[in-house]
C-alpha cells in the first residue's frame, strides 16, 4: 500500500487557504445578490465587509512579509510587480465598497469585479508565483508560514477592534 506524502504546510499553503476562504465568501455573496430576500441588503453589506477585511489583511501580510522575501530570493520579479499592481487595484475597489452608502446594482457590480480581480490574482499566484517561491533557494517558506499566521492574527484583532 502506497502512501502519498503531504507537503509540509508553508507560507504558500497558508496564503492559498486564505484564497479558498475568500472564494467561498464571494460565492455566498453572489448567491445573495441573486436572492430576492428582504434581508439580503443587510446580509450583503455584512458579507462584503467581511470580504474586504479578509482581503485587506491578506494583502497586507503578503506585502509586508511574503513579497519582500520572495523578491529577494528570485531573479525575475515581474510577477511580484504585477501582484503589487493588482493589490493596488483591489484596494481601490475595497475602499469604494467600504465607503458605499447604498447597496444597489453598482455595489453588487463592484463586489463582482473585485471577485474577478481576485480570481485572476489567485490563479497567477497559485500557478506561477508559488511554484517559483517553493523552488527558490534559501527561502524558508515553512518558517515564514508562522510569521504570516502571527501577523494575520494581529491584524484581524486590530480590525475587529476598529469595527
Amino acid at each position: 500500500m502506497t502512501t502519498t506524502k503531504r507537503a509540509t504546510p508553508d507560507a504558500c499553503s497558508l496564503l492559498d487557504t486564505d484564497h479558498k476562504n475568500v472564494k467561498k465568501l464571494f460565492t455566498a455573496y453572489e448567491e445573495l445578490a441573486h436572492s430576492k430576500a428582504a434581508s439580503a441588503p443587510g446580509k450583503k453589506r455584512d458579507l462584503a465587509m467581511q470580504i474586504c477585511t479578509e482581503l485587506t489583511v491578506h494583502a497586507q501580510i503578503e506585502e509586508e512579509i511574503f513579497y519582500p522575501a520572495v523578491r529577494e530570493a528570485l531573479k525575475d520579479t515581474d510577477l511580484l510587480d504585477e501582484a503589487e499592481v493588482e493589490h493596488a487595484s483591489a484596494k481601490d475597489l475595497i475602499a469604494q465598497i467600504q465607503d458605499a452608502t447604498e447597496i444597489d446594482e453598482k455595489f453588487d457590480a463592484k463586489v463582482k469585479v473585485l471577485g474577478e480581480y481576485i480570481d485572476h490574482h489567485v490563479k497567477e499566484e497559485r500557478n506561477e508565483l508559488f511554484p517559483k517561491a517553493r523552488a527558490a533557494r534559501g527561502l524558508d517558506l515553512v518558517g515564514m508560514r508562522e510569521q504570516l499566521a502571527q501577523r494575520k492574527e494581529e491584524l484581524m484583532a486590530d480590525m475587529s477592534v476598529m469595527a
Side-chain angles (χ1 to χ4, degrees), residues 7-24:
T8 305
D10 64 7
C12 298
S13 58
L14 178 139
L15 295 171
D16 206 39
T17 297
D18 282 357
H19 294 157
K20 290 172 186 164
N21 290 340
V22 85
K23 178 68 175 170
K24 288 177 188 170

Side-chain angles (χ1 to χ4, degrees), residues 63-157:
E63 291 168 7
E64 286 180 4
I65 301 166
F66 185 72
Y67 290 169
V70 174
R71 186 175 292 281
E72 227 174 82
L74 296 180
K75 286 182 179 74
D76 179 8
T77 58
D78 288 353
L79 281 173
L80 291 165
D81 294 340
E82 194 175 317
E84 288 172 351
V85 170
E86 289 169 351
H87 276 199
S89 296
K91 286 176 186 177
D92 181 52
L93 264 178
I94 287 168
Q96 290 179 44
I97 291 165
Q98 290 173 324
D99 294 343
T101 54
E102 289 186 48
I103 309 299
D104 56 11
E105 295 79 20
K106 287 271 198 213
F107 188 88
D108 287 346
K110 288 174 184 175
V111 175
K112 182 177 178 68
V113 170
L114 179 60
E116 290 168 355
Y117 276 4
I118 299 306
D119 278 346
H120 170 79
H121 179 73
V122 165
K123 283 182 184 127
E124 286 191 341
E125 283 191 345
R126 189 177 288 154
N127 298 331
E128 298 177 54
L129 185 58
F130 291 170
K132 286 183 179 184
R134 285 180 168 135
R137 290 181 186 259
L139 192 57
D140 179 13
L141 293 174
V142 174
M144 189 190 303
R145 182 185 195 286
E146 185 57 40
Q147 206 180 350
L148 289 168
Q150 185 177 352
R151 183 65 176 135
K152 180 180 175 183
E153 196 175 301
E154 290 169 6
L155 292 169
M156 290 302 273

